[in-house]
């Protein structure tokens, strides 16, 4: 396992947003690793920095206001943050591709599906060997067929406004996969759709990445989807990774108080009904809490949590928790 | 198909706008104090002549009937005689309107190229010194009236640097091309006279630029803010994330949606320029419509005033239709919505 080169490694990533009245310290030292072929989930409530982390990888955060004061992001051993625009463009699309949260916002309203999809395909061509117009067209058709869209010829000539939400989401998936990326970042695909369509879309995505053997980072706050689709899960809270574990391990033995709260917040069909969730809300990033950022909401808060930021403690094979409750257990698992 | 129906609907709509305008013009012309017949004939004409002319001008009929007569004349491009020039108003308009149109079209070109160019530059180098310079120029351009620019240009480029002529439409030594459209540049091209074309163009540069300055500034500001707005949109992040080159993202996927507000404002600016060019036309001794209109107002030349206002109205409406077509071309949402609401 350790001999395989890491596909993606994020080290101590900080992202701040310079806004009127100060700096929003959104990401506070994110660490993240994944192997080639892995399917990794990233969960956490809205506003905890999941999308920011992913946009930072591809460097599509709007700058200004976003600034990255420190951190390293290695893709197959090369630091993306140190690349020039040309090198970065080579990685985007073919190396790493992304499905954005809201398909309606992610499609340009004044260009047809075909114009957008073809631009992506054209630019994903290997340098020096441009595709002919015909090849581009064929591949565009193929991309739409892959995501089970009927009548691709007509669709290529349609504008996003002429499509349903589900179709737009499929187009976005098709576009992200048209470049045959090694790593696909899927940011809450289907969240904006109704549940039945969402389920179809996710099943489709699941099947496609399996067929193509694409590595995936799946961002979601629906834990059921994580359970079904991922091998390993990162739990994020307020700009920190608070727990990492193999999917099965996380669900059988969640450890961080935040993860436990998250699991309890899931409404169940049998017994219990809807829980109260975790009291409180995501902190203000202008003046985030000292120490562990979760301490104001934590039921097990101790003195040390208010002063120091917890390290990531290994509690089992591949299971890490950033919480002082587990300080003593470090090293026990391995 | 949808664009054709869209166009027909807009034109029908415009006809009603112009009818409304014609009623306003007519009423204003008739409620102004003074007897039009007496004004036309002068104070010393005998009363019986005035009475006969009143009869001829249908001034004794009810207002509604008078309006129908007036409208019928207007539709045949017959607005009667101008008190000032003692010629048919239509002949005056035919002479002055092309001169203004030519100037305004060139000014429009300057605004489009200069305004969009500066706006793109400003957005591309947002928050750098380039952006700051463009923004300062923009604000200065918006608050400075065009005649100030006209005077400055005459002094600087006309007298100090002597790059461009500052008076009239052609140099003395240039033989005017035969009049076909009334626009000297177009006539010169039709006659195959490149020398006259170049000369006419040189005469137009300064006045057109003076007229365009405000609009260039306005367009630059709008293009910049619209591009800056759209730069934060997810579809731009998505285009970048999927590996599309920065050049294509900026020049195509960002520019097109960002031009929609610019085009709308640009159209209004160009149409407005036709009417407000008075001082610039005066400074450059340009025989244009704005100057003619202002002179007729000062002389209470009702026939000429009505005609000038109507011509400006038609120009406004036409420019608006053109703008709608361009915007519909740029923005499928508008085109498709218009088609759907049929």
């Amino acid at each position: 396992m350790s001999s395989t080169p890491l596909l993606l490694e994020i080290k101590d990533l900080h992202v701040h947003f310079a806004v009127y009245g100060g700096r929003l310290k959104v990401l506070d030292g994110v660490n993240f690793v994944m192997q080639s072929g892995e399917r990794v989930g990233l969960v956490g409530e809205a506003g905890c920095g999941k999308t920011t982390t992913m946009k930072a990888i591809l460097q599509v955060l709007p700058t200004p206001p976003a600034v990255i004061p420190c951190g390293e992001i290695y893709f197959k051993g090369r630091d993306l943050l140190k690349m020039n625009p040309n090198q970065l463009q080579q990685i985007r699309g073919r190396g790493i591709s992304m499905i954005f949260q809201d398909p309606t916002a992610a499609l340009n309203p004044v260009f047809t599906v075909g114009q957008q999809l073809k631009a992506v395909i054209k630019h994903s061509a290997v340098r020096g060997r441009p595709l002919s117009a015909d090849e581009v067209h064929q591949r565009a058709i193929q991309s739409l067929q892959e995501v089970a869209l009927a009548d691709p010829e007509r669709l290529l000539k349609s504008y996003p406004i002429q499509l349903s939400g589900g179709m737009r989401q499929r187009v976005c998936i098709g576009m992200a996969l048209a470049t045959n990326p090694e790593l696909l970042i899927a940011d809450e695909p289907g969240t904006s759709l109704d549940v039945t369509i969402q389920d179809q879309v996710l099943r489709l995505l699941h099947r496609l990445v399996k067929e193509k053997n694409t590595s995936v980072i799946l961002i979601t706050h629906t834990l059921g989807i994580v359970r079904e689709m991922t091998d390993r899960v990162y739990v994020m809270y307020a700009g920190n990774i608070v727990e990492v574990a193999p999917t099965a391990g996380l669900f059988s033995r969640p450890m961080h108080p935040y993860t436990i709260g998250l699991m309890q917040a899931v409404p169940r069909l049998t017994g219990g009904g809807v829980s109260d969730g975790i009291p409180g809300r995501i902190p203000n990033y202008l003046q985030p809490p000292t120490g562990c950022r979760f301490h104001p909401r934590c039921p097990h808060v101790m003195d040390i949590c208010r002063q120091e930021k917890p390290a990531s403690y290994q509690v089992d094979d591949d299971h890490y928790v950033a919480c002082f409750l587990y300080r003593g257990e470090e090293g026990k698992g391995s | 198909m949808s664009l054709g129906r869209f166009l027909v609907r807009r034109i029908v709509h415009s006809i009603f706008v112009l009818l409304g305008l014609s009623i306003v013009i007519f009423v204003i012309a008739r409620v102004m104090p003074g007897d039009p017949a007496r004004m036309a004939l002068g104070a010393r004409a005998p009363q019986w002549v005035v009475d006969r002319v009143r009869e001829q001008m249908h001034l004794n009929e009810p207002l509604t009937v008078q309006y129908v007569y007036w409208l019928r004349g207007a539709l045949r491009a017959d607005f009667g005689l101008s008190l000032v020039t003692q010629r048919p108003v239509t002949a005056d308009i035919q002479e002055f309107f092309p001169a203004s149109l030519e100037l305004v079209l060139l000014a429009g070109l300057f605004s489009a190229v200069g305004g969009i160019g500066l706006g793109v530059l400003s957005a591309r180098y947002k928050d750098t010194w380039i952006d700051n310079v463009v923004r300062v120029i923009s604000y200065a351009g918006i608050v400075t009236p065009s005649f100030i620019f006209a005077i400055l240009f005459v002094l600087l480029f006309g007298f100090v640097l002597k790059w461009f002529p500052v008076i009239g439409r052609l140099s003395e030594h240039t033989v005017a091309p035969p009049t076909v459209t009334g626009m000297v540049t177009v006539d010169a091209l039709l006659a195959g006279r490149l020398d006259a074309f170049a000369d006419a163009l040189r005469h137009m540069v300064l006045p057109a630029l003076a007229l365009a300055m405000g609009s260039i500034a306005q367009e630059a500001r709008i293009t910049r803010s619209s591009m800056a707005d759209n730069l934060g949109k997810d579809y731009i992040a998505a285009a970048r994330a999927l590996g599309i080159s920065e050049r294509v993202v900026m020049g195509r996927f960002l520019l097109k949606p960002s031009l929609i507000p610019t085009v709308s404002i640009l159209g209004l600016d160009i149409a407005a320029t036709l009417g407000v060019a008075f001082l610039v036309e005066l400074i450059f001794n340009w025989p244009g419509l704005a100057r003619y209109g202002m002179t007729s107002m000062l002389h209470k030349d009702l026939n000429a005033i009505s005609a000038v206002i109507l011509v400006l109205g038609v120009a406004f409406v036409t420019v608006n239709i053109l703008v709608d077509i361009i915007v519909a071309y740029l923005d499928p949402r508008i085109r498709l919505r218009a088609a759907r609401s049929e």
Side-chain angles (χ1 to χ4, degrees), chain B residues 234-316:
Chain B
D234 256 6
Y235 57 76
I236 295 301
R240 283 178 174 159
L242 295 179
I244 297 175
S245 72
E246 197 58 19
R247 196 175 49 81
V248 176
V249 171
M250 297 291 292
R252 188 157 175 233
F253 291 106
L254 177 61
L255 189 59
K256 189 175 168 190
S258 305
L259 283 186
I260 294 164
T262 312
V263 169
S264 317
I265 302 294
L266 181 65
L268 291 180
D269 275 354
I270 291 178
T273 307
L274 256 186
V276 300
F278 168 66
L279 286 169
V280 173
E281 289 181 354
L282 193 69
I283 290 167
F284 288 95
N285 197 17
W286 195 269
L289 189 71
R291 228 176 100 190
Y292 177 68
M294 188 58 80
T295 319
S296 6
M297 280 179 207
L298 294 175
H299 290 87
K300 276 197 187 168
D301 186 350
L302 286 182
N303 288 344
I305 294 173
S306 319
V308 169
I309 295 177
L310 201 60
V311 167
L312 290 180
V314 172
F316 247 97

Side-chain angles (χ1 to χ4, degrees), chain A residues 55 58 60 89 92-93 96-97 100 105-111 115 119-120 123 159 161-162, chain B residues 127 234-235 237-238 240-245 248 252-253 256-257 260 330-333 335-336:
Chain A
K55 284 188 172 173
L58 281 163
V60 292
Q89 200 205 325
R92 287 168 172 171
I96 310 172
S97 171
F100 282 71
L107 291 170
N108 196 319
V110 304
F111 288 92
Q115 286 169 326
V120 170
H123 283 268
Y159 288 93
I161 191 187
Q162 293 168 292
Chain B
D127 297 323
D234 256 6
Y235 57 76
R240 283 178 174 159
L242 295 179
I244 297 175
S245 72
V248 176
R252 188 157 175 233
F253 291 106
K256 189 175 168 190
I260 294 164
L330 287 174
D331 192 345
R333 290 166 293 187
R335 197 178 344 151
L336 296 167

